[in-house]
Amino acid sequence: MMSRKAARNPNLYLTALVATSAVAITYKIYTSFFQQPPKDGSEEDSKTDSPSSYTVSKRYSNKSIAITLSSSFLSSSLPLNKILTNSERMIFIIPPNLTEDDLNLSYIPPNFKLLKCSNLQGYLQILKNLKPDLLLMCSDDLGLDFTQIKKDLNMFINDIINVDQNDDIILRVRPIFD
């Protein structure tokens, strides 16, 4: 009996039409404004954009990588959460002037390595004990003169990428990621 009543009532059809149209329009607006369109450029175009997977490249896959999470790295568009979830041998070091609350990481995996230091001597001692194959740092944020400290760091670290506060960090660290 209800189906006959619904078949005779054009208001029900009109209401259903308006509701589905509203849902379709809302979805279209959401996809247009809040999601990035898929890129259909060449491989060269994808290399100029930031790496999408943020997995460590083959060259660095068997090496330990330490990132000093200074303010330049935290304020960059480097997706630290993706790096954490895609990299097993990544070590994050919190410099003396920051706390764990400053990191603003949404997900911390179980094998996450986060080291804190209370002063610059502690920071240097962490690096000396870790002996990472690669260090990413911004010496300006730490108040260090890189030309003077580089000799000491090179005794126990193979590669050091020191970014300037004005550098585009993604461009500097791109060779590390696929």
Side-chain angles (χ1 to χ4, degrees):
M1 191 140 116
M2 287 295 262
S3 62
R4 243 192 233 170
K5 198 174 195 180
R8 294 182 193 159
N9 191 351
N11 288 338
L12 183 62
Y13 289 115
L14 184 60
T15 304
L17 178 65
V18 169
T20 55
S21 298
V23 168
I25 291 170
T26 304
Y27 177 75
K28 183 64 176 172
I29 290 171
Y30 171 77
T31 57
S32 297
F33 289 107
F34 297 111
Q35 291 182 343
Q36 293 182 346
K39 298 189 180 196
D40 52 337
S42 66
E43 191 167 323
E44 278 186 357
D45 292 340
S46 66
K47 286 184 181 180
T48 59
D49 296 325
S50 61
S52 59
S53 64
Y54 284 96
T55 55
V56 177
S57 69
K58 290 179 183 178
R59 178 179 175 202
Y60 293 100
S61 63
N62 291 328
K63 297 183 180 195
S64 62
I65 301 171
I67 298 178
T68 304
L69 295 176
S70 61
S71 56
S72 290
F73 279 92
L74 294 175
S75 64
S76 72
S77 57
L78 193 65
L80 298 173
N81 284 319
K82 280 186 180 182
I83 292 171
L84 272 176
T85 56
N86 293 329
S87 306
E88 293 179 17
R89 297 183 52 117
M90 191 71 61
I91 302 163
F92 284 179
I93 302 171
I94 301 176
N97 58 344
L98 296 175
T99 65
E100 202 170 331
D101 294 333
D102 296 325
L103 299 184
N104 205 11
L105 298 173
S106 62
Y107 171 72
I108 299 177
N111 60 351
F112 178 63
K113 296 173 187 159
L114 176 67
L115 303 173
K116 301 180 220 178
C117 49
S118 57
N119 56 37
L120 285 176
Q121 289 79 19
Y123 172 73
L124 296 173
Q125 191 63 38
I126 285 174
L127 292 175
K128 184 177 180 181
N129 291 334
L130 279 177
K131 297 180 181 166
D133 296 308
L134 174 65
L135 172 65
L136 303 174
M137 68 180 291
C138 178
S139 60
D140 293 339
D141 287 347
L142 300 172
L144 298 172
D145 182 6
F146 185 68
T147 56
Q148 289 182 351
I149 200 162
K150 184 179 180 181
K151 293 175 192 171
D152 294 333
L153 292 176
N154 279 336
M155 291 189 326
F156 44 89
I157 300 173
N158 295 334
D159 292 326
I160 301 170
I161 297 177
N162 182 43
V163 298
D164 187 70
Q165 288 175 332
N166 299 323
D167 285 349
D168 183 359
I169 290 178
I170 291 181
L171 288 175
R172 293 292 308 274
V173 302
R174 180 175 297 150
I176 299 166
F177 301 103
D178 287 333

